[in-house]
Amino acid sequence: MPPERNRRRIPDATVSRLPVYLRILGEQADEGVDSISSERLAELAGVNAAKVRKDLSYLGSYGTRGVGYEVGYLVYQIRRELGLTHDWPVVIVGAGNLGQALAGYGGFGERGFPVAGVVDVDPAKVGTVLGGVRVRHIDELPQIVQTKRVNIGVVATPPHAAQDAAERLVAAGVTSILNFAPVVLAVPRAIEVRKVDLAVELQILSYHEQRKASLHAVPGAGAGAVSRPASA
Amino acid sequence: MPPERNRRRIPDATVSRLPVYLRILGEQADEGVDSISSERLAELAGVNAAKVRKDLSYLGSYGTRGVGYEVGYLVYQIRRELGLTHDWPVVIVGAGNLGQALAGYGGFGERGFPVAGVVDVDPAKVGTVLGGVRVRHIDELPQIVQTKRVNIGVVATPPHAAQDAAERLVAAGVTSILNFAPVVLAVPRAIEVRKVDLAVELQILSYHEQRKASLHAVPGAGAGAVSRPASA
DNA sequence: CATTGTGAAGCGTTTCACAGCC
DNA sequence: GGCTGTGAAACGCTTCACAATG
């Protein structure tokens, strides 16, 4: 029996949607649904049905024509593909406002990402307890990463400390980083970095708001020229 | 006649990078830099120089061949395009862990998004003070949105309350939503929604970790797999 | 016969490569 | 000479449309 084409390359766009499908499928399973069509899943995920089918087809042919997908089996396959068959402990650098909220937010551990540790440079914060975890000094980072087998680090420091935090994480052996600081981190190419930047998100919304506002300002179909028309 | 089409359509991908350029340009300005090349800006933003030039070209021709871009002027143009020439007050729904962290996080107001209010359904939370703002009852939402001219709402509730929060925001007159709840919000098409989902981000990192792990498992031709080829 | 799985077309984004200009 | 601005090629993602099939 030939095993499976193991080195499937899944498009980034698909990878970023699989967690959404997974969450929805979990909810459906909880409600007792055990079979679902691409159409229905698409509706719940807010996307197009063809996209759902193509996304799922990267995992293999796990549907049944004329019927749909078996929810439990699909959950299993997506979890396997995302590497969610075991926990991934994370370490949080920065015990400020955000670090505290993250550590205190139960959703982390529940979803398979237990907080293995929180560290900070500030001795005043060391020893305090956040979400059941004692804050430790950043010098203990290598030890935490090694003993708890941590692969994923979270940067929750102020901007000026973020690059240092990232370097310490990488030096300690972390290979993926979730960065909340509004800073472009310079790390080795092999390190996967994802960025969550509130200011960026708000500014994107601002762009759309401003756009709506200036549409209101122009009359019918013309080039209203409310602000300055610049030539090309 | 007003010469130019003012309604330039800027690609989404470009809009999402403009805030990054803007932040970097601001930092450069603070350091006294007043001219910058696409190459340098690209390096600081972690992207390709051609991309920077194409992105900036959607705003107009604001560079000088052979020289580069004037930092201050570029900041002005990007701010104008993003609608950052005035503040956009935001209202936060949900005074839990996350809502508190967001309200307490100074970066909001500093960057032009002052917190006009925080609301919650829970009477026990109403009246407490977060980051200088008193938590009010969610029934006061319409009043806050109207009197403070709020266009942007932030959903920071538990998942089960998120859809209701979104509907109340829309009913109150908000037209853009930043959603932190792990839920696909159903809103009218005219409402702009952006999503920040920690679990999704972590699961994407998990995918990459799992992928690295299974690469180790195969004998593989070539990839020497030393942990850190530190380069910048 | 409803629904999947998928070639192929369509579309938006990135990158190249170089003409245009300072 | 150096750097921008931009057509055009390359790429990746989305959507269509329909053959395959339980």
Side-chain angles (χ1 to χ4, degrees):
Chain A
M1 189 78 174
E4 73 276 11
R5 338 247 126 280
N6 199 4
R7 293 296 93 223
R8 260 183 254 281
R9 172 97 194 86
I10 299 190
D12 288 349
T14 294
V15 172
S16 71
R17 282 186 297 267
L18 289 177
V20 177
Y21 301 153
L22 182 58
R23 199 190 56 235
I24 290 167
L25 290 167
E27 289 164 5
Q28 292 298 302
D30 289 349
E31 291 176 18
V33 174
D34 48 34
S35 174
I36 194 167
S37 66
S38 60
E39 186 99 36
R40 176 73 179 136
L41 180 49
E43 184 192 334
L44 294 170
V47 302
N48 171 301
K51 195 184 275 180
V52 168
R53 292 200 297 278
K54 183 133 284 192
D55 283 343
L56 297 181
S57 78
Y58 293 114
L59 309 185
S61 289
Y62 298 136
T64 306
R65 291 168 199 239
V67 178
Y69 301 86
E70 206 247 284
V71 174
Y73 189 53
L74 204 46
V75 165
Y76 169 74
Q77 289 298 343
I78 295 177
R79 288 179 60 85
R80 191 173 59 84
E81 194 67 44
L82 291 177
L84 300 175
T85 50
H86 62 78
D87 279 1
W88 294 96
V90 303
V91 63
I92 298 173
V93 183
N97 230 325
L98 180 61
Q100 289 176 36
L102 293 175
Y105 168 62
F108 260 99
E110 280 168 36
R111 291 183 173 270
F113 300 90
V115 177
V118 180
V119 301
D120 203 295
V121 270
D122 181 358
K125 287 186 183 130
V126 172
T128 59
V129 175
L130 296 182
V133 185
R134 189 174 55 87
V135 177
R136 295 162 72 178
H137 191 266
I138 195 165
D139 288 342
E140 296 186 53
L141 195 52
Q143 199 217 314
I144 297 170
V145 169
Q146 247 179 298
T147 62
K148 303 270 182 80
R149 301 262 182 314
V150 175
N151 291 279
I152 301 176
V154 177
V155 174
T157 65
H160 63 87
Q163 180 61 37
D164 180 60
E167 286 168 14
R168 284 170 181 264
L169 283 168
V170 171
V174 155
T175 51
S176 287
I177 294 177
L178 181 55
N179 178 29
F180 286 90
V183 164
V184 178
L185 296 179
V187 295
R189 256 186 314 279
I191 308 295
E192 196 74 22
V193 177
R194 302 213 36 110
K195 194 183 82 171
V196 174
D197 189 329
L198 304 193
V200 168
E201 298 301 323
L202 288 171
Q203 287 175 19
I204 293 169
L205 290 177
S206 162
Y207 169 77
H208 292 287
E209 284 299 323
Q210 175 259 11
R211 201 143 209 289
K212 287 176 203 161
S214 57
L215 283 177
H216 279 212
V218 295
V226 161
S227 31
R228 188 146 18 114
S231 59
Chain B
M1 114 176 187
E4 199 35 57
R5 303 218 69 66
N6 193 6
R7 295 292 94 225
R8 259 183 254 283
R9 170 104 192 78
I10 298 189
D12 288 349
T14 295
V15 171
S16 71
R17 283 187 296 267
L18 289 177
V20 177
Y21 301 153
L22 182 58
R23 199 191 54 234
I24 291 168
L25 290 167
E27 289 165 5
Q28 292 297 302
D30 288 348
E31 291 175 19
V33 174
D34 47 35
S35 174
I36 194 167
S37 67
S38 60
E39 185 99 36
R40 177 72 179 136
L41 180 48
E43 185 192 333
L44 295 170
V47 302
N48 171 301
K51 194 183 275 179
V52 168
R53 291 200 298 277
K54 183 134 283 193
D55 283 343
L56 297 182
S57 77
Y58 292 115
L59 309 184
S61 289
Y62 299 137
T64 307
R65 292 168 201 239
V67 178
Y69 300 85
E70 205 247 286
V71 174
Y73 189 53
L74 205 45
V75 164
Y76 168 73
Q77 291 297 344
I78 295 176
R79 290 179 58 86
R80 190 172 61 84
E81 194 67 45
L82 291 178
L84 300 175
T85 50
H86 61 78
D87 278 2
W88 294 96
V90 303
V91 62
I92 298 174
V93 182
N97 231 326
L98 180 61
Q100 288 175 37
L102 292 174
Y105 168 62
F108 260 99
E110 279 167 37
R111 292 183 173 271
F113 300 91
V115 177
V118 180
V119 301
D120 203 294
V121 270
D122 182 356
K125 286 187 184 131
V126 173
T128 60
V129 176
L130 298 181
V133 186
R134 189 174 54 86
V135 177
R136 296 162 73 178
H137 191 266
I138 195 166
D139 288 343
E140 296 187 53
L141 194 53
Q143 199 216 314
I144 297 170
V145 170
Q146 247 179 296
T147 61
K148 301 272 182 82
R149 301 263 183 314
V150 175
N151 290 279
I152 300 176
V154 177
V155 174
T157 66
H160 63 87
Q163 180 61 37
D164 180 61
E167 286 169 14
R168 285 171 181 262
L169 282 168
V170 171
V174 154
T175 50
S176 286
I177 293 177
L178 181 54
N179 177 28
F180 286 90
V183 164
V184 178
L185 296 179
V187 295
R189 254 188 313 280
I191 308 295
E192 195 74 23
V193 177
R194 302 213 36 109
K195 194 184 81 173
V196 174
D197 189 329
L198 303 193
V200 168
E201 298 301 323
L202 287 171
Q203 289 175 17
I204 293 170
L205 291 177
S206 162
Y207 169 78
H208 291 287
E209 284 300 323
Q210 176 259 11
R211 200 142 210 288
K212 287 176 203 162
S214 58
L215 283 177
H216 279 212
V218 294
V226 178
S227 203
R228 44 199 169 94
S231 65

